[in-house]
Amino acid sequence: MKFSYKFLAVCCATLALTSCKDVLDKTDLSSTSGDLIFKDSTLSQMNLDYIYDQNLPTGIATLGPSTPSVTSLTDESFGESKLLEGTLLVNEVSDFGTALSATNNYGKIRVINMFLSDVKNGSLPQATKNKLRGQAQFFRAWRYFDLVRLYGGVPLVLTPLAAVGVEARDAAFLPRNTTAESFAQIVKDLDSTIASVPGKWASSADWGRITKGAAAALKGRVLMTAASPQFNPSDDQTKWQAAYDANKQAYDLLTANGYGLHASFDQLWFQEVNNPEAVFLTGYNTSTGDQTKKNNGYDNATRPSYNGTGGGSNQPSWEMVKAFPMLDGKKPTESTKYAYTDQLFYKNRDPRFDKTIAYNGVTWPLNGNTANKVWTYFAGGKTVEAKASNTGFYARKAINPTAAIGDVQYSGTDWIEIRFAEVLLNLAESAVGVNKLDEAYTQLKAVRKRAGLEAGTDGLYGLKANMSRTELFDAILYERQIEFAFEGKRFWDLRRWKLIEKTLNGTRRTGVTINLKTTGVPADFATTRDNVSLDLAYTNYFTLVFKQLDTKYAINWKPEYYFFAIPQTAIDNNPKLIQNTTWGGAFDPLK
């Protein structure tokens, strides 16, 4: 990422002093007025960059401080949670914000609203104002979407509220807007962004700034959520049409500006400027300096532990491992060309399998070692790893293979929140919603072709011919599960389709312990294993033992979790807030 939101706002302000002497000469920075700041384009831009820094997604999301990453709330991975245990309390999804804080959703919205107001009232040229405001409106839409998909309709605060006095306090007691009104405001902000920002920024120094296509893609995601069963249980076709129109607009804007699928499914994470797949992203750098450092923590947290680095998080479950298709695009239980067995689970799989899942014996270039092999087996009851994988597997997506051990903690790999592949699959899903089934096939085939699946004699890349609307919806959700594994999308997909109970309830996720046999194994296996055929090793030397990861409870997601409770502490602070009907209140989140 190239532009200045990589740096902390304080650092930005300090660095800018030398170039803004005409504005800041002999000025007390602690009390600088908005009138002074927002007649200078450099200072206005620094304020906008602070909004970027505060609002860009930092990786796989959580649902507040008491919940794990959303990857752990699905069949992708494993993590204990009150949501899956079925014991969630009313205050425990606290993204709503229950205190005065600059870091909760409404605290961030306040900063955005102040920026929008000050830019509007400033003396910059109108075209500059529009461009600045358009980017800020994107992030206000982003914040409100985060709230609405959790709770349903929320109070829409679109201007800075006064902060002091009894009257100001009373004016801040706002009721919840309806869910429909909330979605409409999100769309309105994104439409303003689309009208105000470029389709592609001219300078590489602006790589990562919000574009027309990014705003349209988020609009497509928002309206597809609004059309999904969570918000649209009656399958209202007007909602699917709105979603289709938005995703078609995103596709058209992005392709017109040079966006498209990256040639490589795994290497797409490591190209920054002019990466055709990166629609909406968070930029990171490799700096070790305290004032300029903005490193990506996902890489170090996810890779296996080696010499004190790597946390081994986001470990794939056996359910995720088995989910991948075979090389012909058919599910393991459906392929007639490639036989599947649990013992040789890695053979003839979708090419995305090896690029997403690291398993015992796989060659995985890591820490600068291009010949590195990962071994996760147990010998004599003891792991051969410094720290054993709990599931037997690791996620390898977006892990930089060339980073040296000492540099891993300073990873600069950008996090891509919206990829062009998502735009294609969003368009496919919304096309199915309006019965444009052939168009859905087109987008699905494009994603599968890039993945490297065999086209087959029918050119369908393993897709069933002549699928019904219901079958195509299922096929797209399945494709999303594979394509976006460990990108934080699976939880939201299952939730908006209200499929968490069907997918998880009553089950316990599974891991694998791979044991080295006690007989028939060469005495020097530990030193020669890198040169042994993997098929031979798995057939003759290893046994697979399956274990339950959810040991404390069977999963028990409850229907009321499709709209979380407004925290009671927020209601205590604002008597005009009404609780959701599913949590004992009178507010209907479907209206």
PDB file of all heavy atoms in Angstrom, residues 417-437:
ATOM      1  N   GLU A 417     -10.242  -7.278   1.095  1.00  0.00           N
ATOM      2  CA  GLU A 417     -11.569  -7.521   1.659  1.00  0.00           C
ATOM      3  C   GLU A 417     -12.584  -7.895   0.589  1.00  0.00           C
ATOM      4  O   GLU A 417     -13.423  -8.761   0.788  1.00  0.00           O
ATOM      5  CB  GLU A 417     -12.047  -6.279   2.421  1.00  0.00           C
ATOM      6  CG  GLU A 417     -13.459  -6.347   2.937  1.00  0.00           C
ATOM      7  CD  GLU A 417     -13.703  -7.470   3.913  1.00  0.00           C
ATOM      8  OE1 GLU A 417     -12.749  -7.894   4.612  1.00  0.00           O
ATOM      9  OE2 GLU A 417     -14.862  -7.948   3.993  1.00  0.00           O
ATOM     10  N   ILE A 418     -12.525  -7.225  -0.559  1.00  0.00           N
ATOM     11  CA  ILE A 418     -13.390  -7.589  -1.689  1.00  0.00           C
ATOM     12  C   ILE A 418     -12.500  -7.884  -2.887  1.00  0.00           C
ATOM     13  O   ILE A 418     -11.785  -7.006  -3.372  1.00  0.00           O
ATOM     14  CB  ILE A 418     -14.400  -6.486  -2.045  1.00  0.00           C
ATOM     15  CG1 ILE A 418     -15.309  -6.167  -0.857  1.00  0.00           C
ATOM     16  CG2 ILE A 418     -15.239  -6.912  -3.254  1.00  0.00           C
ATOM     17  CD1 ILE A 418     -16.348  -5.081  -1.141  1.00  0.00           C
ATOM     18  N   ARG A 419     -12.548  -9.131  -3.340  1.00  0.00           N
ATOM     19  CA  ARG A 419     -11.819  -9.536  -4.534  1.00  0.00           C
ATOM     20  C   ARG A 419     -12.769  -9.516  -5.734  1.00  0.00           C
ATOM     21  O   ARG A 419     -13.987  -9.632  -5.582  1.00  0.00           O
ATOM     22  CB  ARG A 419     -11.241 -10.942  -4.379  1.00  0.00           C
ATOM     23  CG  ARG A 419     -10.232 -11.092  -3.283  1.00  0.00           C
ATOM     24  CD  ARG A 419      -9.374 -12.334  -3.496  1.00  0.00           C
ATOM     25  NE  ARG A 419      -9.923 -13.572  -2.960  1.00  0.00           N
ATOM     26  CZ  ARG A 419     -10.251 -14.629  -3.681  1.00  0.00           C
ATOM     27  NH1 ARG A 419     -10.163 -14.601  -5.004  1.00  0.00           N
ATOM     28  NH2 ARG A 419     -10.697 -15.730  -3.103  1.00  0.00           N
ATOM     29  N   PHE A 420     -12.179  -9.437  -6.929  1.00  0.00           N
ATOM     30  CA  PHE A 420     -13.010  -9.478  -8.124  1.00  0.00           C
ATOM     31  C   PHE A 420     -13.778 -10.789  -8.206  1.00  0.00           C
ATOM     32  O   PHE A 420     -14.900 -10.826  -8.714  1.00  0.00           O
ATOM     33  CB  PHE A 420     -12.142  -9.291  -9.377  1.00  0.00           C
ATOM     34  CG  PHE A 420     -12.944  -9.113 -10.635  1.00  0.00           C
ATOM     35  CD1 PHE A 420     -13.535  -7.898 -10.937  1.00  0.00           C
ATOM     36  CD2 PHE A 420     -13.120 -10.175 -11.513  1.00  0.00           C
ATOM     37  CE1 PHE A 420     -14.292  -7.730 -12.091  1.00  0.00           C
ATOM     38  CE2 PHE A 420     -13.873 -10.026 -12.670  1.00  0.00           C
ATOM     39  CZ  PHE A 420     -14.465  -8.795 -12.961  1.00  0.00           C
ATOM     40  N   ALA A 421     -13.199 -11.864  -7.681  1.00  0.00           N
ATOM     41  CA  ALA A 421     -13.916 -13.146  -7.661  1.00  0.00           C
ATOM     42  C   ALA A 421     -15.218 -13.029  -6.873  1.00  0.00           C
ATOM     43  O   ALA A 421     -16.219 -13.667  -7.227  1.00  0.00           O
ATOM     44  CB  ALA A 421     -13.031 -14.239  -7.063  1.00  0.00           C
ATOM     45  N   GLU A 422     -15.213 -12.238  -5.801  1.00  0.00           N
ATOM     46  CA  GLU A 422     -16.461 -12.058  -5.063  1.00  0.00           C
ATOM     47  C   GLU A 422     -17.479 -11.307  -5.907  1.00  0.00           C
ATOM     48  O   GLU A 422     -18.678 -11.625  -5.881  1.00  0.00           O
ATOM     49  CB  GLU A 422     -16.229 -11.303  -3.750  1.00  0.00           C
ATOM     50  CG  GLU A 422     -17.531 -11.136  -2.966  1.00  0.00           C
ATOM     51  CD  GLU A 422     -17.431 -10.285  -1.725  1.00  0.00           C
ATOM     52  OE1 GLU A 422     -16.307 -10.048  -1.244  1.00  0.00           O
ATOM     53  OE2 GLU A 422     -18.493  -9.846  -1.224  1.00  0.00           O
ATOM     54  N   VAL A 423     -17.033 -10.308  -6.659  1.00  0.00           N
ATOM     55  CA  VAL A 423     -17.956  -9.572  -7.531  1.00  0.00           C
ATOM     56  C   VAL A 423     -18.618 -10.535  -8.512  1.00  0.00           C
ATOM     57  O   VAL A 423     -19.826 -10.471  -8.753  1.00  0.00           O
ATOM     58  CB  VAL A 423     -17.214  -8.439  -8.266  1.00  0.00           C
ATOM     59  CG1 VAL A 423     -18.135  -7.740  -9.256  1.00  0.00           C
ATOM     60  CG2 VAL A 423     -16.650  -7.423  -7.260  1.00  0.00           C
ATOM     61  N   LEU A 424     -17.828 -11.468  -9.069  1.00  0.00           N
ATOM     62  CA  LEU A 424     -18.392 -12.451 -10.000  1.00  0.00           C
ATOM     63  C   LEU A 424     -19.423 -13.346  -9.309  1.00  0.00           C
ATOM     64  O   LEU A 424     -20.504 -13.605  -9.865  1.00  0.00           O
ATOM     65  CB  LEU A 424     -17.282 -13.308 -10.596  1.00  0.00           C
ATOM     66  CG  LEU A 424     -16.275 -12.621 -11.512  1.00  0.00           C
ATOM     67  CD1 LEU A 424     -15.308 -13.649 -12.094  1.00  0.00           C
ATOM     68  CD2 LEU A 424     -16.957 -11.846 -12.626  1.00  0.00           C
ATOM     69  N   LEU A 425     -19.094 -13.806  -8.111  1.00  0.00           N
ATOM     70  CA  LEU A 425     -20.021 -14.715  -7.431  1.00  0.00           C
ATOM     71  C   LEU A 425     -21.212 -13.973  -6.846  1.00  0.00           C
ATOM     72  O   LEU A 425     -22.310 -14.541  -6.742  1.00  0.00           O
ATOM     73  CB  LEU A 425     -19.277 -15.514  -6.368  1.00  0.00           C
ATOM     74  CG  LEU A 425     -18.252 -16.508  -6.931  1.00  0.00           C
ATOM     75  CD1 LEU A 425     -17.546 -17.259  -5.812  1.00  0.00           C
ATOM     76  CD2 LEU A 425     -18.893 -17.495  -7.907  1.00  0.00           C
ATOM     77  N   ASN A 426     -21.038 -12.712  -6.469  1.00  0.00           N
ATOM     78  CA  ASN A 426     -22.192 -11.900  -6.071  1.00  0.00           C
ATOM     79  C   ASN A 426     -23.124 -11.686  -7.256  1.00  0.00           C
ATOM     80  O   ASN A 426     -24.356 -11.748  -7.123  1.00  0.00           O
ATOM     81  CB  ASN A 426     -21.735 -10.547  -5.533  1.00  0.00           C
ATOM     82  CG  ASN A 426     -21.056 -10.635  -4.176  1.00  0.00           C
ATOM     83  OD1 ASN A 426     -21.034 -11.694  -3.553  1.00  0.00           O
ATOM     84  ND2 ASN A 426     -20.492  -9.532  -3.715  1.00  0.00           N
ATOM     85  N   LEU A 427     -22.521 -11.428  -8.426  1.00  0.00           N
ATOM     86  CA  LEU A 427     -23.336 -11.267  -9.635  1.00  0.00           C
ATOM     87  C   LEU A 427     -24.041 -12.571  -9.974  1.00  0.00           C
ATOM     88  O   LEU A 427     -25.228 -12.573 -10.337  1.00  0.00           O
ATOM     89  CB  LEU A 427     -22.444 -10.812 -10.795  1.00  0.00           C
ATOM     90  CG  LEU A 427     -23.126 -10.615 -12.144  1.00  0.00           C
ATOM     91  CD1 LEU A 427     -24.273  -9.615 -12.053  1.00  0.00           C
ATOM     92  CD2 LEU A 427     -22.106 -10.163 -13.197  1.00  0.00           C
ATOM     93  N   ALA A 428     -23.336 -13.687  -9.833  1.00  0.00           N
ATOM     94  CA  ALA A 428     -23.957 -14.985 -10.115  1.00  0.00           C
ATOM     95  C   ALA A 428     -25.138 -15.234  -9.193  1.00  0.00           C
ATOM     96  O   ALA A 428     -26.222 -15.647  -9.638  1.00  0.00           O
ATOM     97  CB  ALA A 428     -22.917 -16.096  -9.957  1.00  0.00           C
ATOM     98  N   GLU A 429     -24.967 -14.981  -7.903  1.00  0.00           N
ATOM     99  CA  GLU A 429     -26.036 -15.254  -6.940  1.00  0.00           C
ATOM    100  C   GLU A 429     -27.243 -14.362  -7.180  1.00  0.00           C
ATOM    101  O   GLU A 429     -28.392 -14.826  -7.160  1.00  0.00           O
ATOM    102  CB  GLU A 429     -25.517 -15.080  -5.517  1.00  0.00           C
ATOM    103  CG  GLU A 429     -26.530 -15.472  -4.456  1.00  0.00           C
ATOM    104  CD  GLU A 429     -25.959 -15.435  -3.056  1.00  0.00           C
ATOM    105  OE1 GLU A 429     -24.765 -15.738  -2.881  1.00  0.00           O
ATOM    106  OE2 GLU A 429     -26.717 -15.116  -2.119  1.00  0.00           O
ATOM    107  N   SER A 430     -26.994 -13.086  -7.413  1.00  0.00           N
ATOM    108  CA  SER A 430     -28.129 -12.187  -7.648  1.00  0.00           C
ATOM    109  C   SER A 430     -28.778 -12.467  -8.994  1.00  0.00           C
ATOM    110  O   SER A 430     -29.991 -12.275  -9.159  1.00  0.00           O
ATOM    111  CB  SER A 430     -27.685 -10.722  -7.541  1.00  0.00           C
ATOM    112  OG  SER A 430     -26.591 -10.449  -8.385  1.00  0.00           O
ATOM    113  N   ALA A 431     -28.003 -12.974  -9.965  1.00  0.00           N
ATOM    114  CA  ALA A 431     -28.596 -13.378 -11.245  1.00  0.00           C
ATOM    115  C   ALA A 431     -29.547 -14.555 -11.045  1.00  0.00           C
ATOM    116  O   ALA A 431     -30.631 -14.603 -11.637  1.00  0.00           O
ATOM    117  CB  ALA A 431     -27.500 -13.741 -12.244  1.00  0.00           C
ATOM    118  N   VAL A 432     -29.152 -15.501 -10.202  1.00  0.00           N
ATOM    119  CA  VAL A 432     -30.055 -16.605  -9.879  1.00  0.00           C
ATOM    120  C   VAL A 432     -31.313 -16.068  -9.206  1.00  0.00           C
ATOM    121  O   VAL A 432     -32.430 -16.531  -9.467  1.00  0.00           O
ATOM    122  CB  VAL A 432     -29.358 -17.636  -8.972  1.00  0.00           C
ATOM    123  CG1 VAL A 432     -30.336 -18.714  -8.522  1.00  0.00           C
ATOM    124  CG2 VAL A 432     -28.189 -18.276  -9.710  1.00  0.00           C
ATOM    125  N   GLY A 433     -31.136 -15.060  -8.354  1.00  0.00           N
ATOM    126  CA  GLY A 433     -32.285 -14.472  -7.676  1.00  0.00           C
ATOM    127  C   GLY A 433     -33.335 -13.949  -8.625  1.00  0.00           C
ATOM    128  O   GLY A 433     -34.538 -13.983  -8.320  1.00  0.00           O
ATOM    129  N   VAL A 434     -32.902 -13.452  -9.799  1.00  0.00           N
ATOM    130  CA  VAL A 434     -33.851 -12.928 -10.788  1.00  0.00           C
ATOM    131  C   VAL A 434     -33.996 -13.885 -11.970  1.00  0.00           C
ATOM    132  O   VAL A 434     -34.422 -13.491 -13.059  1.00  0.00           O
ATOM    133  CB  VAL A 434     -33.437 -11.522 -11.272  1.00  0.00           C
ATOM    134  CG1 VAL A 434     -33.527 -10.531 -10.127  1.00  0.00           C
ATOM    135  CG2 VAL A 434     -32.028 -11.512 -11.879  1.00  0.00           C
ATOM    136  N   ASN A 435     -33.609 -15.143 -11.752  1.00  0.00           N
ATOM    137  CA  ASN A 435     -33.817 -16.208 -12.739  1.00  0.00           C
ATOM    138  C   ASN A 435     -33.025 -16.037 -14.030  1.00  0.00           C
ATOM    139  O   ASN A 435     -33.444 -16.519 -15.083  1.00  0.00           O
ATOM    140  CB  ASN A 435     -35.314 -16.370 -13.042  1.00  0.00           C
ATOM    141  CG  ASN A 435     -36.058 -17.002 -11.886  1.00  0.00           C
ATOM    142  OD1 ASN A 435     -35.792 -18.143 -11.510  1.00  0.00           O
ATOM    143  ND2 ASN A 435     -36.977 -16.242 -11.294  1.00  0.00           N
ATOM    144  N   LYS A 436     -31.869 -15.390 -13.938  1.00  0.00           N
ATOM    145  CA  LYS A 436     -30.935 -15.338 -15.059  1.00  0.00           C
ATOM    146  C   LYS A 436     -29.902 -16.459 -14.853  1.00  0.00           C
ATOM    147  O   LYS A 436     -28.737 -16.217 -14.544  1.00  0.00           O
ATOM    148  CB  LYS A 436     -30.261 -13.969 -15.155  1.00  0.00           C
ATOM    149  CG  LYS A 436     -31.206 -12.821 -15.489  1.00  0.00           C
ATOM    150  CD  LYS A 436     -30.456 -11.497 -15.526  1.00  0.00           C
ATOM    151  CE  LYS A 436     -31.376 -10.338 -15.854  1.00  0.00           C
ATOM    152  NZ  LYS A 436     -31.791 -10.308 -17.266  1.00  0.00           N
ATOM    153  N   LEU A 437     -30.343 -17.680 -15.002  1.00  0.00           N
ATOM    154  CA  LEU A 437     -29.531 -18.825 -14.605  1.00  0.00           C
ATOM    155  C   LEU A 437     -28.308 -19.000 -15.490  1.00  0.00           C
ATOM    156  O   LEU A 437     -27.244 -19.390 -15.011  1.00  0.00           O
ATOM    157  CB  LEU A 437     -30.390 -20.093 -14.595  1.00  0.00           C
ATOM    158  CG  LEU A 437     -31.687 -20.038 -13.760  1.00  0.00           C
ATOM    159  CD1 LEU A 437     -32.315 -21.429 -13.685  1.00  0.00           C
ATOM    160  CD2 LEU A 437     -31.443 -19.474 -12.372  1.00  0.00           C
TER     161      LEU A 437
END
